[in-house]
């Protein structure tokens, strides 16, 4: 038997689900063997009868380049003379004797759809220029940093109308890098979140039915082009978040479905194998090899493409066996939880935080507790969780006519009851502006001017609410048409006075958000928010304070008027004396306004501010500076010490992974080690 490229140690790691750099061995790799350059292929297909590589390098001739089964599950082949850019597939003779052409599950590049062959790619040729950015992020506690995310779909952000011959008119990764970066820097965003660019066959899935978990889509260029995209963003101080889909995959014949004639990547159990509402297959995370496939994909994007964070799609679908299913199978404890998914996320989140500076954001609508708690504390270990409750309640509130908003006032206050239970990110995402839901602008009631005023106040309230921020493209200037993945944003609206006003308002809010630590250094700390008056429902007014945990220095006072009428005068209670400087108003006037606090009790506080509010006006005041007392300085030191310890604990969190013996002892290792992460996950409190 030939020398194995995929060694016994690789095999041991893989079968225990802990081969974190599996992408360095699986798939197609350019290498030199006995002085000859070629491509090394490695494939996992344990139940295949035979496998061969067919490519444009061998004229797509079957059985010319036949792979050798090196053990009970791994297939290998070195093809001398094959080079970068060759298109290839695996011809798999499945368990029942039928033949099928499969794309490489670990392929680094793909053909442009509708073609679907994998492409040999060399990822080592790109020269990165983001070392300064990455050094600055080393060991950083992202919870203490601002995160204002611009969610973008690359194919519909903007079109290249000079490509008259091209139906898609896509901009390429490199041009997108320059144009999007210029926009997000002007606006004041800190990060962009790129909607699904892992290779996918159907445009209408928006990238959420993936066939290439290691390949950026060819729609916008080659792998090196996407590397340039990330690199350019980093060189300009912009973080990059990538949407990632660990829940399910499509049934396309060339993909993962029924790969070797058996349910290899999906569950064999028909009650767990599919998500009927999506028409997709569910990953069987009970198999260490399948879990390792996804874990390696996460590490791949972080290590090879320098991605700052992943946003895991459809987490709730993974946590519940009943999600989207009329019939479902309980776990071994008789409950609805998918215990394999709990073990998977605890493992992945822990090792990713330990070994990199990246983290994962959960797009999660479940009511499972501890999603962002450390795994060692029975949590799932995510860095952040989408606050779907805030999103739904906020939209329900401002969908109401202002006359009736008094009856929905609680929707805007109830979110503060749980906002510190997890590390949240507030999201107004692409899902809220499609399928007849209307854009953020058109969700508002009233005439055109009412919509403008109301939306600006919504954004002000959002910026004052604890949690990181995310807004979908186009909503920052009040896009009127629902998002269409085939079209582009209504950029011409930026020339309209009203829509330009919305954009300038959101831009001002972003710059305030990144300037004042009290607005972003808030995650998990209950004493950074105080209501001034949460019960002013008759006037549709909300007033509150954002502060640091030890005193009111650098604190901000927010007051938001959700009614289309003047409020003259308005009185609110404030904590300290002095002159309060207005740093923002949704009316965007240049005239400064300083209001001196009057020594008179109001809202249970010793001082009050008196001023006028116009229709749908929101204001932000800066609290006057006061010298810290000894008690406040001691509290500050205590809080900073606790935060540093929490960050250190998160980085040093641990879950059980198999102990790795010496290579020669690998075959004798007990397979029971692979079962222990799932058993540990089973101890999690199953409160729903």
């Amino acid at each position: 038997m030939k020398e194995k490229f995929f060694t016994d140690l690789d095999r041991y790691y893989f079968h225990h689900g802990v081969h974190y750099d599996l992408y360095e061995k699986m798939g197609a790799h350019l290498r030199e063997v006995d002085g000859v350059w070629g491509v090394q292929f490695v494939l996992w297909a344990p139940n295949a009868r035979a496998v061969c590589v067919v490519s444009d390098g061998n004229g797509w001739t079957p059985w010319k380049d036949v792979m050798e089964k090196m053990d009970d599950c791994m297939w290998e082949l070195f093809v001398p003379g094959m080079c970068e850019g060759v298109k290839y597939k695996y011809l798999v003779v499945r368990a029942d004797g039928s033949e099928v052409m499969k794309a490489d599950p670990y392929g680094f590049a793909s053909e442009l759809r509708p073609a679907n062959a994998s492409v040999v790619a060399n990822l080592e040729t790109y020269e990165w220029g983001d070392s300064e950015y990455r050094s600055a992020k080393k060991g950083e506690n992202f919870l203490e940093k601002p995160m204002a995310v611009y969610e973008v779909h690359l194919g519909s952000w903007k079109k290249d109308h000079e490509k008259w011959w091209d139906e898609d008119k896509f901009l390429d990764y490199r041009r997108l890098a320059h144009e999007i970066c210029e926009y997000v820097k002007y606006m004041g965003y800190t990060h962009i979140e790129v909607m699904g660019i892992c290779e996918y066959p159907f445009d209408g899935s928006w990238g959420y039915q993936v066939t290439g978990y290691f390949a950026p889509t060819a729609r916008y260029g080659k792998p090196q082009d996407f590397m340039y995209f990330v690199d350019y963003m980093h060189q300009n101080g912009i973080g990059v978040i990538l949407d990632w889909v660990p829940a399910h995959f499509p049934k396309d014949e060339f993909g993962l479905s029924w790969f070797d004639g058996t349910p290899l990547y999906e569950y064999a159990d028909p009650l767990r194998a599919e998500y009927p509402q999506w028409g997709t297959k569910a990953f069987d995370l009970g198999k260490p090899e399948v879990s390792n496939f996804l874990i390696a994909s996460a590490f791949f994007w972080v290590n090879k493409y320098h991605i700052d964070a992943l946003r895991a799609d459809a987490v709730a679908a993974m946590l519940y066996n009943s999600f989207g299913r009329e019939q479902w199978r309980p776990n071994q404890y008789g409950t609805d939880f998918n215990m394999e998914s709990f073990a998977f996320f605890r493992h992945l989140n822990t090792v990713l935080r330990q070994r990199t500076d990246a983290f994962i954001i959960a797009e999660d609508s479940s009511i499972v507790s501890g999603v962002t708690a450390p795994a060692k504390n029975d949590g799932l270990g995510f860095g952040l969780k989408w606050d779907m409750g805030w999103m739904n309640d906020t939209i329900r509130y401002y969908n109401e006519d202002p006359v009736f908003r008094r009856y929905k006032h609680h929707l805007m206050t109830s979110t503060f009851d749980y906002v510190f239970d997890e590390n949240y990110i507030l999201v107004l995402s692409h899902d809220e502006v499609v399928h007849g839901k209307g854009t953020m602008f058109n969700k508002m009631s009233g005439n055109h001017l009412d919509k403008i005023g109301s939306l600006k106040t919504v954004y002000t309230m959002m910026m004052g609410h604890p949690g990181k921020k995310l807004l979908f493209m186009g909503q920052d200037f009040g896009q009127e048409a629902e998002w269409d993945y085939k079209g582009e944003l209504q950029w011409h609206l930026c020339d309209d006075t009203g829509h330009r006003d919305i954009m300038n308002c959101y831009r001002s809010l972003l710059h305030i958000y990144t300037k004042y630590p009290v607005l972003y250094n808030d995650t998990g700390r209950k004493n950074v928010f105080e209501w001034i008056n949460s019960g002013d429902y008759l006037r549709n007014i909300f007033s509150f304070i954002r502060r640091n945990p030890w005193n009111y220095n650098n604190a901000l006072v927010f007051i938001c008027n959700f009614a289309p009428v003047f409020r003259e005068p308005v009185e609110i209670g404030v904590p300290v004396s002095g002159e309060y400087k207005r740093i923002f108003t949704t009316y965007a006037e240049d005239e400064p306004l300083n209001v001196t606090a009057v020594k008179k009790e109001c809202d249970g506080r010793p001082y009050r501010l008196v001023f006028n509010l116009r229709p749908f006006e929101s204001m932000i005041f800066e609290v006057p500076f006061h010298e810290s007392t000894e008690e406040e300085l001691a509290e500050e030191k205590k809080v900073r010490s606790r935060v540093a310890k929490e960050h250190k604990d998160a980085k040093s969190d641990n879950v059980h992974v198999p102990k790795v013996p010496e290579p020669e002892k690998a075959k004798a290792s007990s397979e029971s080690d692979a079962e222990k992460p799932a058993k540990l996950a089973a101890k999690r409190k199953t409160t729903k």
Side-chain angles (χ1 to χ4, degrees), residues 142 312 314-316 319-320 337 341-342 345-347 349-350 353 359-388 420-425 653 684-685 687:
F142 65 90
V315 169
L319 297 182
Y320 295 121
F337 289 131
S341 293
F342 279 85
F345 282 130
R346 296 180 69 194
H347 183 180
N349 286 320
T350 300
R353 293 285 294 278
F359 57 94
I360 302 180
I361 303 167
E363 188 262 316
D364 176 33
S365 58
S366 76
I367 57 173
V368 171
S369 61
V371 172
T372 59
K376 64 183 179 183
N377 296 338
D378 280 339
L380 294 182
F382 284 99
L384 295 169
K385 172 180 175 173
W386 276 27
D387 194 342
M388 311 289 269
F420 299 110
D421 293 346
E422 303 277 4
N423 299 330
Y424 281 114
I425 178 169
D653 194 8
R684 175 181 166 77
K685 298 175 182 178
T687 56

Side-chain angles (χ1 to χ4, degrees), residues 392-450:
N392 290 322
D393 288 346
T394 298
I395 290 174
R396 284 174 60 198
Y397 177 80
Y398 66 66
N399 271 343
E400 289 287 338
D401 186 284
V403 174
F404 302 107
R405 282 178 178 167
R406 64 179 61 183
Y407 305 112
K408 302 291 184 179
H409 194 84
H410 65 281
L411 294 174
M412 296 292 277
T413 59
S414 62
T415 61
F416 294 91
D417 295 337
Y418 63 83
V419 68
F420 299 110
D421 293 346
E422 303 277 4
N423 299 330
Y424 281 114
I425 178 169
L426 310 183
V427 293
L428 295 172
S429 72
H430 65 275
D431 280 327
E432 306 316 310
V433 296
V434 291
H435 303 322
K437 297 178 183 177
T439 63
M440 301 306 298
F441 182 81
N442 283 324
K443 292 179 192 295
M444 307 295 161
S445 62
N447 58 36
H448 189 78
L449 290 177
D450 288 343

Side-chain angles (χ1 to χ4, degrees), residues 250-375:
K251 299 179 182 178
D252 298 71
E253 188 176 56
F254 71 89
L256 298 176
S257 179
W258 210 254
F259 193 85
D260 61 359
T262 65
L264 187 62
Y265 286 89
E266 63 268 46
Y267 283 104
D269 185 342
L271 295 184
R272 306 181 73 186
E274 297 187 13
Y275 291 107
Q277 66 185 32
W278 296 326
T280 55
K281 298 277 191 175
F283 279 109
D284 182 357
L285 297 176
K287 296 177 183 174
E289 299 85 358
V290 175
S291 172
N292 203 158
F293 169 80
L294 290 169
I295 291 175
S297 172
F299 272 95
F300 172 79
W301 292 107
V302 171
N303 291 333
K304 291 295 186 181
Y305 284 89
H306 297 189
I307 295 299
D308 296 276
L310 298 170
R311 195 275 281 178
D313 183 65
V315 169
M318 301 176 67
L319 297 182
Y320 295 121
N321 290 321
S322 64
F323 189 94
R325 300 179 176 107
E326 292 184 2
Q327 292 183 306
W328 54 279
R329 193 175 306 283
N331 60 32
Q332 64 269 39
Y333 305 103
T335 68
D336 191 8
F337 289 131
N338 183 323
M339 303 310 297
E340 294 97 333
S341 293
F342 279 85
F344 168 76
F345 282 130
R346 296 180 69 194
H347 183 180
L348 170 59
N349 286 320
T350 300
V351 295
L352 192 69
R353 293 285 294 278
Q354 285 176 342
R355 295 168 179 243
T356 74
D357 289 301
F359 57 94
I360 302 180
I361 303 167
E363 188 262 316
D364 176 33
S365 58
S366 76
I367 57 173
V368 171
S369 61
V371 172
T372 59

